[in-house]
Amino acid sequence: MRRDFVANVSHELRTPLTVLVGFLETVRELKLDPQRVRDYIGMMREQGARMQRIIEDLLALSVLESAPPPAAERVRVAPLLERLGADATALSKGRHAISIEGRPQVDLLGAEPEIASAFGNLISNAIRYTPAGGKVTVAWHDGPDGASFSVADTGVGIPVEHIPRLTERFYRVDRGRSRESGGTGLGLAIAKHVLGRHQAHLEVDSTPGAGSRFSAHFPAGRTIPLEAATESQAG
Ligand code: ADP
């Protein structure tokens, strides 16, 4: 597995690096007008940014793998949902109808940055795999049995045979689409890891051509009632 992983990482980084070096050669060899040079530099920057995203996600994964179990600190759900909604709106740039549903009666116990990154990855996927004009619905539910965070979209959907493999590192249903949308192929691997560290699990339902729903389920032991102050502020 480790050998495969090293081969995959090398391949993932080699592709943008090859493109980048190609562009550098072009700019060096050809006499281009300044506008063309700027275009090439823009494309080079995009390849560099792609390598950066891959390395950041790899580092995030390796930190998760070696980190001690997450703290059981209060993660305030309502403001987190609000922030995630704002991030989603920024990422969508007006192309999707985004809604946030549910009124949290509990908070989570865990590591806020980890949970924010797992939820954020699910939302950014919904936006990236949903064509303009589609809907992305983020919903929160809680009850005596625990809590769930879900993201439903009306996007491209996923053929059922791929679903069990989505959380593998660098596994993608459609490599071209993932790359065009700025994907690293690591977002769901990170989300799965974070959820596992919080005794939560990920559920995926999808219909090709109609949309997908990714839900994270937390056991009751990872929830904590709202603080009185928070409750009266919210209500
Ligand atoms: P990527 O960076 O490629 O999006 P992820 O690990 O986040 O990597 O997701 C793995 C693959 O799962 C994606 O490449 C895509 O094929 C599929 N996928 C994830 N979320 C969705 C979604 N909401 N709709 C359709 N396909 C999805």
Side-chain angles (χ1 to χ4, degrees):
M1 250 177 80
R2 175 163 296 274
R3 221 170 36 222
D4 278 0
F5 180 62
V6 171
N8 285 340
V9 172
S10 310
H11 178 77
E12 295 289 336
L13 290 173
R14 191 177 59 179
T15 311
L17 199 52
T18 304
V19 179
L20 180 60
V21 171
F23 285 150
L24 283 168
E25 285 294 316
T26 307
V27 172
R28 192 181 67 157
E29 298 298 325
L30 302 181
K31 280 210 170 62
L32 299 168
D33 64 67
Q35 181 53 47
R36 292 283 285 162
V37 171
R38 266 199 299 277
D39 292 346
Y40 273 103
I41 289 177
M43 293 187 283
M44 289 189 256
R45 194 182 55 184
E46 175 46 41
Q47 298 303 317
R50 192 172 140 206
M51 290 189 281
Q52 232 167 14
R53 283 194 300 271
I54 293 172
I55 288 176
E56 272 158 22
D57 278 359
L58 283 169
L59 284 174
L61 262 176
S62 97
V63 167
L64 284 173
E65 274 174 346
S66 54
E73 277 160 13
R74 180 184 288 271
V75 178
R76 291 175 203 282
V77 173
L80 175 61
L81 294 180
E82 225 168 89
R83 264 198 332 272
L84 291 168
D87 294 349
T89 304
L91 191 63
S92 157
K93 300 195 179 86
R95 287 170 300 150
H96 308 90
I98 296 168
S99 58
I100 312 278
E101 296 173 359
R103 222 178 132 84
Q105 301 299 317
V106 298
D107 283 328
L108 288 174
L109 284 173
E112 160 124 44
E114 292 185 26
I115 288 175
S117 117
F119 290 2
N121 279 335
L122 299 183
I123 295 177
S124 99
N125 282 352
I127 289 172
R128 291 188 299 111
Y129 296 106
T130 301
K135 264 181 71 174
V136 172
T137 307
V138 176
W140 176 265
H141 291 282
D142 55 48
D145 296 336
S148 73
F149 169 88
S150 69
V151 185
D153 65 55
T154 59
V156 297
I158 305 159
V160 64
E161 65 272 20
H162 293 284
I163 290 180
R165 301 197 58 189
L166 296 180
T167 58
E168 290 175 21
R169 289 158 195 217
F170 300 121
Y171 190 86
R172 292 136 163 145
V173 176
D174 179 337
R175 191 163 282 276
R177 197 191 293 270
S178 162
R179 186 173 309 147
E180 272 164 37
S181 68
T184 61
L186 295 169
L188 289 180
I190 292 175
K192 181 189 173 176
H193 232 86
V194 166
L195 295 178
R197 283 163 55 77
H198 289 81
Q199 295 75 48
H201 68 276
L202 185 66
E203 234 173 65
V204 186
D205 296 301
S206 188
T207 309
S212 312
R213 179 193 306 273
F214 285 74
S215 320
H217 298 277
F218 291 82
R222 278 284 173 188
T223 67
I224 179 173
L226 293 186
E227 280 169 339
T230 316
E231 223 161 3
S232 64
Q233 259 168 27

